[in-house]
Amino acid sequence: MSTPLAQIKPLSQPVTMPAEVATFSPEVEAEMDRHIAKYPVKRSAILPLMFIVQRERGYLDPPAVAYLAERLDLRTTDIWEVATFYSMIYTQPVGKYHIQICKTLSCKLLGSEKITKHCSEKLGIKVGETTPDGRFSLSEVECLGSCGTAPMFQINFDYHENLTPEKVDQIIDALP
Amino acid sequence: MRITAIGCEPLQLRRVHLENSRSLDVYRANGGYEAIRKVLDSMSPDDVINEVKKSQLRGRGGAGFPTGMKWSFVPKDSPKPKYVVCNADESEPGTFKDRYLMERDPHMLIEGILIAAYALGAKTNYIYTRGEYKYLIDIMDIALDEARAEGLLGDKILGTDFSCEIHTHTGAGAYICGEETALLSSLEGLRGHPRMKPPFPAVSGLYAAPTVVNNVETLTAVPDIIKMGGEAYQELGTEKSGGTKLWSVSGHVNRPGVYELPMGYDDMEKFIMEDCGGITNGKQLKAVIPGGSSVYIMRADQIVDQDVRMDYEGLVAAGSMVGSGGFIVMDETVDIFESTKNLTEFYKHESCGWCTPCREGTDWLVKILKRIDNGGGRPEDAKLLLDLCDNIEGKSFCPLGDAAAWPIQSAIKRFPEDFERRLIQNGKA
């Protein structure tokens, strides 16, 4: 006996696009224009614009996706398909400080697991989680090109290298 | 972290230790922008390509394809615009040389791109930098502005008829975008999927126009080739591997860093034990991955007392490859099963999902390695892993599949004891 179609759970929840479209200040709009002007095809500016949107709104929420589609003369599905390919584009909120610990071989050889454990205990969250106050997210990521100064993590865009648990404490405690 | 040249005068690393090395003034005071002057004053585009051919410069990103030949594939009669794209997506585990070149000497890259653009007739050029290296994009943008203000970029460069523009572009965390056709897809604003070759980018690349994609280290070698001449550059290295090469050294060595060596440097053992200060904590050497995580892993006894020559041919003869020059050193305490599992997780995470052998194959490799790691190893698993690798290697759409298979194949073959221990002890308990 086959399952009635209506009872099959969809693999993912469909995203309902809101009527709302994100807006940005004239300065940010001008910054986006400068990126778009670099390319003969508008669509090429999609990643630079996504980073600007993330800086302004924290992540790529549906109103921002609607905005980018309009801005680049694309469909919203074009924006989603690119957004979901790249690990640095967030379609869910992340903490104010995103701690990304490199876990690939050179860092692993020099103790990245110890750094992950220390961060996890210090912040009281597991890898992949965000603190309840939204201040920290903790991730393990693949090679960040800092193998000669391993172990390391990146907090948002800042590299922190040659880490020890003590150094991790200093760095995290000094964050504003 | 040490940044230095061994066995040769520093060429690419000549300016990295100077104060303010990234500024235009320091670059110019130390030989900078003399090569583009020479090119614009006295050389035709074909002259430039010929010098690069004579230099025996081979692509430093990993594949090692002769650069001059790559440039000569660009059709001269195409009515379409042409593009030079610098691949600064440096994501191969163990590799971090491009990062320091851009951080310390950004104008050397700009000059290299200008010369390539002149040789190929490109008016618009891009530097595709991985998203995590945002601070390098900022450094490059400042350097580009400096160059523009001094008439080294834009319209009528240095008062000649040559005009060209260079823009920075950002990736967003995808290893696959270091593969040149995936990089071009990404630069067009698409998912970073690789494309079918042929047509090669030289014929149909960015926006379906003739395009050359070169690594940062490749392009930064070009100004010196022009200044000293292709033959003199080649003679710094060997007959078939011209010039010098940067090696990113990491892992269990006392002095990790970026080392510039002449191609054909005569002894890998000496390099590890003396130049890089030997193994940390007085331990014994167990293994080296010499060319970034994708190449064959080498046993210590393939290196010690073997006089392994460090160039393209020498490393192939020794059983591995130059690749990107990401040199990962491992001491006797490392379990090669563990290190291989770590790298396989990397390839699984970075597989773009475009073709079935790589997408499904890397997933299954990780599933099996995890099962073994959790105590569920079976004696036949080594054969199972090799069978799976055989279904990926050469059958995937782009080289990422090969890169995922090679570390496992070589690790099982060269360190069978580290796998057998897991398979027998765990499997028959």
Side-chain angles (χ1 to χ4, degrees):
Chain A
M1 216 176 67
S2 61
T3 316
L5 271 180
Q7 287 178 22
I8 297 175
K9 232 175 102 187
L11 288 172
S12 60
Q13 292 301 317
V15 178
T16 314
M17 289 304 295
E20 185 197 345
V21 177
T23 53
F24 295 94
S25 69
E27 294 77 33
V28 173
E29 290 277 354
E31 186 186 357
M32 290 183 181
D33 284 335
R34 285 197 295 278
H35 282 285
I36 292 171
K38 292 178 178 179
Y39 312 97
V41 176
K42 262 189 180 179
R43 183 176 181 142
S44 282
I46 197 165
L47 287 177
L49 261 53
M50 281 177 175
F51 278 115
I52 294 174
V53 167
Q54 281 190 173
R55 189 190 68 207
E56 298 295 314
R57 296 176 72 88
Y59 72 109
L60 213 64
D61 58 348
V65 170
Y67 170 85
L68 286 176
E70 257 180 36
R71 191 74 149 87
L72 297 170
D73 299 331
L74 297 168
R75 297 162 299 185
T76 50
T77 49
D78 297 326
I79 307 296
W80 285 119
E81 84 166 19
V82 170
T84 52
F85 184 83
Y86 295 94
S87 62
M88 291 180 74
I89 304 300
Y90 310 135
T91 53
Q92 298 290 327
V94 285
K96 180 180 176 196
Y97 298 109
H98 188 189
I99 302 177
Q100 302 151 87
I101 305 169
C102 175
K103 68 179 273 282
T104 318
L105 188 55
S106 297
C107 279
K108 180 190 156 77
L109 291 173
L110 296 181
S112 64
E113 282 155 343
K114 205 162 75 182
I115 300 299
T116 303
K117 188 165 171 278
H118 184 77
C119 289
S120 185
E121 284 169 5
K122 183 176 175 66
L123 303 173
I125 50 173
K126 293 199 202 89
V127 169
E129 292 180 347
T130 300
T131 53
D133 61 0
R135 196 166 149 82
F136 296 103
S137 292
L138 186 63
S139 301
E140 280 185 324
V141 298
E142 299 293 354
C143 188
L144 292 177
S146 192
C147 321
T149 42
M152 65 80 65
F153 59 42
Q154 199 174 15
I155 301 184
N156 300 343
F157 283 113
D158 295 331
Y159 275 66
H160 299 277
E161 307 176 290
N162 295 312
L163 293 178
T164 58
E166 298 72 44
K167 205 169 160 189
V168 168
D169 286 344
Q170 284 168 16
I171 293 163
I172 293 181
D173 293 343
L175 288 171
Chain B
M1 256 279 308
R2 198 166 172 226
I3 306 181
T4 189
I6 306 260
C8 62
E9 287 295 310
L11 205 63
Q12 305 226 33
L13 298 182
R14 188 188 298 136
R15 283 169 295 263
V16 292
H17 294 296
L18 299 176
E19 199 181 335
N20 257 332
S21 64
R22 67 176 74 137
S23 73
L24 176 57
D25 290 344
V26 171
Y27 186 65
R28 272 190 152 160
N30 291 277
Y33 291 114
E34 285 171 11
I36 185 69
R37 176 98 259 172
K38 179 176 172 187
V39 163
L40 295 178
D41 283 352
S42 62
M43 295 173 81
S44 72
D46 279 339
D47 293 341
V48 175
I49 293 175
N50 280 334
E51 285 308 315
V52 175
K53 274 186 178 166
K54 277 192 259 175
S55 74
Q56 299 290 350
L57 173 67
R58 293 170 60 168
R60 302 288 196 241
F65 192 81
T67 306
M69 200 183 292
K70 197 177 202 177
W71 289 11
S72 68
F73 292 156
V74 172
K76 295 203 166 38
D77 50 0
S78 171
K80 292 180 178 173
K82 300 177 186 73
Y83 298 99
V84 173
V85 177
C86 171
N87 185 346
D89 195 54
E90 186 165 68
S91 312
E92 176 80 2
T95 314
F96 45 95
K97 61 192 172 63
D98 297 344
R99 185 181 154 198
Y100 289 99
L101 288 173
M102 293 166 77
E103 181 187 297
R104 309 271 179 106
D105 207 348
H107 284 283
M108 180 166 58
L109 178 58
I110 296 173
E111 188 173 12
I113 296 172
L114 285 176
I115 296 168
Y118 174 81
L120 301 165
K123 297 275 173 271
T124 310
N125 312 282
Y126 297 98
I127 305 172
Y128 184 108
T129 308
R130 64 180 296 182
E132 294 89 341
Y133 284 175
K134 182 181 181 299
Y135 82 103
L136 293 181
I137 300 178
D138 296 341
I139 288 173
M140 288 308 309
D141 278 335
I142 291 170
L144 289 167
D145 283 343
E146 277 184 313
R148 224 170 264 128
E150 291 285 316
L152 291 156
L153 192 62
D155 281 339
K156 301 208 173 291
I157 291 173
L158 293 170
T160 65
D161 285 338
F162 174 59
S163 303
C164 106
E165 194 43 80
I166 302 173
H167 300 293
T168 54
H169 182 84
T170 179
Y175 169 72
I176 186 65
C177 293
E179 194 281 331
E180 63 176 2
T181 62
L183 183 152
L184 296 174
S185 298
S186 180
L187 186 46
E188 289 180 11
L190 304 164
R191 289 166 77 92
H193 290 309
R195 304 171 178 179
M196 182 63 87
K197 291 197 264 191
F200 288 90
V203 177
S204 179
L206 187 62
Y207 312 120
T211 304
V212 160
V213 184
N214 280 146
N215 175 258
V216 172
E217 189 189 341
T218 312
L219 287 166
T220 51
V222 171
D224 280 313
I225 291 171
I226 296 300
K227 275 197 285 184
M228 68 171 66
E231 273 166 35
Y233 180 86
Q234 176 267 314
E235 283 164 10
L236 295 173
T238 63
E239 194 187 330
K240 287 185 179 158
S241 307
T244 62
K245 164 90 192 105
L246 301 183
W247 299 84
S248 316
V249 182
S250 66
H252 294 138
V253 285
N254 284 315
R255 290 198 291 268
V258 178
Y259 290 83
E260 182 170 17
L261 304 183
M263 279 289 187
Y265 187 79
D266 56 357
D267 188 358
M268 190 193 282
E269 182 188 359
K270 179 166 153 267
F271 178 57
I272 299 166
M273 295 306 177
E274 293 174 26
D275 304 332
C276 299
I279 309 301
T280 42
N281 301 320
K283 293 266 187 354
Q284 295 293 309
L285 174 69
K286 177 166 179 173
V288 173
I289 301 174
S293 63
S294 304
V295 307
Y296 293 156
I297 188 170
M298 299 172 77
R299 289 178 70 97
D301 58 22
Q302 291 177 291
I303 299 161
V304 177
D305 297 330
Q306 299 296 317
D307 296 335
V308 175
R309 220 178 65 214
M310 293 175 69
D311 58 25
Y312 292 99
E313 298 77 30
L315 272 171
V316 168
S320 193
M321 281 191 282
V322 166
S324 63
F327 203 92
I328 307 172
V329 179
M330 290 177 260
D331 74 16
E332 58 190 305
T333 65
V334 177
D335 178 351
I336 301 300
F337 172 85
E338 281 282 333
S339 69
T340 309
K341 177 170 156 280
N342 177 280
L343 292 181
T344 309
E345 285 168 352
F346 170 83
Y347 290 106
K348 184 212 156 190
H349 184 262
E350 300 299 343
S351 176
C352 78
W354 182 246
C355 75
T356 310
C358 178
R359 180 187 66 240
E360 304 299 320
T362 52
D363 193 45
W364 276 105
L365 288 171
V366 168
K367 277 185 183 139
I368 294 166
L369 291 169
K370 279 194 171 156
R371 168 168 60 69
I372 297 170
D373 196 36
N374 291 330
R378 303 166 195 150
E380 65 273 19
D381 278 340
K383 186 171 175 301
L384 179 63
L385 287 167
L386 290 174
D387 278 351
L388 199 43
C389 286
D390 190 44
N391 277 293
I392 302 171
E393 188 195 10
K395 279 118 185 150
S396 57
F397 194 82
C398 85
L400 195 147
D402 300 334
W406 292 340
I408 299 187
Q409 291 169 330
S410 56
I412 292 177
K413 194 172 151 202
R414 291 175 181 171
F415 297 89
E417 61 280 6
D418 283 14
F419 283 80
E420 277 159 15
R421 193 165 57 236
R422 299 279 188 146
L423 303 185
I424 293 165
Q425 279 180 357
N426 295 335
K428 287 189 173 172

